[in-house]
Amino acid sequence: MTNGTPPEPSVALRRQAVALIANPSSGGNAKDEEAIRRAMDALGDGASLYRWSPESDIVATVRKALDDGAEMIVAAGGDGTAMAVAGALVGQEVPMAVLPLGTFNFFARGLRLSEDAEEAARAIREGSAHPIRVGEVNGRVFLNNASLGIYPSILKAREDIYARWGRRRIVAHWSVFKTFLRFQRPMRLKITADGETRNRRTALVFIARSAYQLDFFGLDGATVISDDAFAVLVAKAQSRRDLFRLSSRLVRRKTKQGEDYELIRAKTFEIETARGRGLLAFDGEKCREESPFRFKMSDAPLWIVLPAKDTDTETQDTTA
């Protein structure tokens, strides 16, 4: 934290009353009541289960859990569920943990949590809370990444395919191929980062706050995350052919900074699109908003629970 580390909230030391907020639509594991039951058993007698869906108010659900005396909030679902709960808990003294029950679980994997529900719950129960700053775009919190361009379009196509075939990773990969075939032209952008302005034409801008996710795809920028800044990756791709080549290199972890993408380091920045409105993606969710898109670090901290085995070390993943 830039203004010094605030004192650890006393509630993070007790954690007798745990609220597990489950999103039953996150992925295959989230629908498995047995996985949730085993996680609840591992969290202990003080654990209570709250159901939430993206169509309902997550702030109201979190407030209900806090009013009921919750000393820790566990987001059970995928990255979208974790992001929603984090948005409701930024600035609160009650710590947040993540139980990975989604499709990709990048945030939970960055925290080095097991994707086995029971094992992850035990690690959470014995963990400790640490303050982090999360990313914000136009006032919306995100944990892993935000993006403009082809990736939000992929998410839109993915939702349509999910509705027909279910949530599977192979279906997610098919949505990428389908969206590339439909690609028409790159975006025209004005990017102002820490006072410096750049004009770019690109199919994708990817804004990262997860060192784990960058390492997973073999992309540069992990040290930028460690310095508590955004790693802004501007793809060089401007055509379908470029996109397929970039995708192939990503799969093989062979991308090169300067050749495949430009890396911009920024504490605060703004992206202005040539069109008045743009499709924005953040942690797997998406929305259409007016340009410009303003990015900054959260002013208040989010207390996040690290698993017990990592509490003695400071890792770059916890800044994500």
Side-chain angles (χ1 to χ4, degrees), residues 117-193:
E118 185 176 359
E119 186 176 335
R122 284 198 300 265
I124 289 168
R125 187 70 189 181
E126 301 302 322
S128 63
H130 294 255
I132 66 171
R133 288 208 301 172
V134 298
E136 292 184 359
V137 51
N138 291 359
R140 298 173 182 265
V141 163
F142 66 95
L143 300 173
N144 293 314
N145 65 71
S147 60
L148 291 164
I150 194 71
Y151 185 62
S153 298
I154 290 171
L155 293 180
K156 188 175 185 301
R158 182 182 299 174
E159 286 184 0
D160 295 339
I161 298 173
Y162 275 169
R164 182 174 181 182
W165 300 104
R167 289 177 172 263
R168 303 172 187 171
R169 294 195 187 191
I170 187 63
V171 171
H173 298 323
W174 167 245
S175 67
V176 175
F177 183 79
K178 183 178 179 180
T179 306
F180 283 2
L181 290 178
R182 293 178 173 177
F183 177 75
Q184 295 294 321
R185 62 181 65 87
M187 302 177 293
R188 289 187 291 117
L189 307 175
K190 182 169 73 173
I191 303 173
T192 303

Side-chain angles (χ1 to χ4, degrees), residues 36-236:
I36 293 178
R37 186 193 65 76
R38 289 188 289 107
M40 292 287 290
D41 288 344
L43 289 171
D45 294 337
S48 299
L49 178 62
Y50 296 78
R51 297 290 186 179
W52 168 80
S53 67
E55 294 76 27
S56 59
D57 185 1
I58 186 61
V59 175
T61 304
V62 170
R63 174 51 54 194
K64 175 67 165 59
L66 296 178
D67 289 345
D68 290 345
E71 298 169 344
M72 179 171 68
I73 305 290
V74 180
D79 290 322
T81 302
M83 175 193 68
V85 174
L89 282 177
V90 167
Q92 300 277 355
E93 289 188 345
V94 173
M96 167 186 164
V98 181
L99 190 71
L101 295 177
T103 305
F104 293 103
N105 303 313
F106 278 120
F107 186 68
R109 289 156 73 183
L111 298 176
R112 300 178 183 175
L113 281 164
S114 169
E115 291 191 82
D116 176 80
E118 185 176 359
E119 186 176 335
R122 284 198 300 265
I124 289 168
R125 187 70 189 181
E126 301 302 322
S128 63
H130 294 255
I132 66 171
R133 288 208 301 172
V134 298
E136 292 184 359
V137 51
N138 291 359
R140 298 173 182 265
V141 163
F142 66 95
L143 300 173
N144 293 314
N145 65 71
S147 60
L148 291 164
I150 194 71
Y151 185 62
S153 298
I154 290 171
L155 293 180
K156 188 175 185 301
R158 182 182 299 174
E159 286 184 0
D160 295 339
I161 298 173
Y162 275 169
R164 182 174 181 182
W165 300 104
R167 289 177 172 263
R168 303 172 187 171
R169 294 195 187 191
I170 187 63
V171 171
H173 298 323
W174 167 245
S175 67
V176 175
F177 183 79
K178 183 178 179 180
T179 306
F180 283 2
L181 290 178
R182 293 178 173 177
F183 177 75
Q184 295 294 321
R185 62 181 65 87
M187 302 177 293
R188 289 187 291 117
L189 307 175
K190 182 169 73 173
I191 303 173
T192 303
D194 292 341
E196 182 180 350
T197 299
R198 304 167 172 84
N199 293 301
R200 296 290 186 268
R201 285 173 59 86
T202 179
L204 171 67
V205 179
F206 186 84
I207 301 97
R209 276 296 295 153
S210 169
Y212 174 86
Q213 196 169 30
L214 291 176
D215 289 340
F216 181 86
F217 288 109
L219 298 166
D220 294 335
T223 56
V224 175
I225 305 299
S226 297
D227 291 337
D228 211 15
F230 294 103
V232 184
L233 281 63
V234 183
K236 299 287 186 177

Side-chain angles (χ1 to χ4, degrees), residues 255-302:
T255 55
K256 295 180 180 179
Q257 183 185 162
E259 182 176 338
D260 296 302
Y261 61 90
E262 175 186 6
L263 174 61
I264 301 171
R265 179 190 184 282
K267 293 279 189 179
T268 62
F269 66 100
E270 177 180 294
I271 298 178
E272 185 175 349
T273 60
R275 295 183 177 183
R277 290 172 63 84
L279 189 61
L280 170 74
F282 44 99
D283 287 351
E285 306 300 319
K286 65 185 188 315
C287 67
R288 192 170 293 277
E289 290 200 358
E290 294 289 340
S291 172
F293 299 90
R294 297 184 174 90
F295 293 81
K296 62 185 283 291
M297 297 297 179
S298 62
D299 295 323
L302 170 69

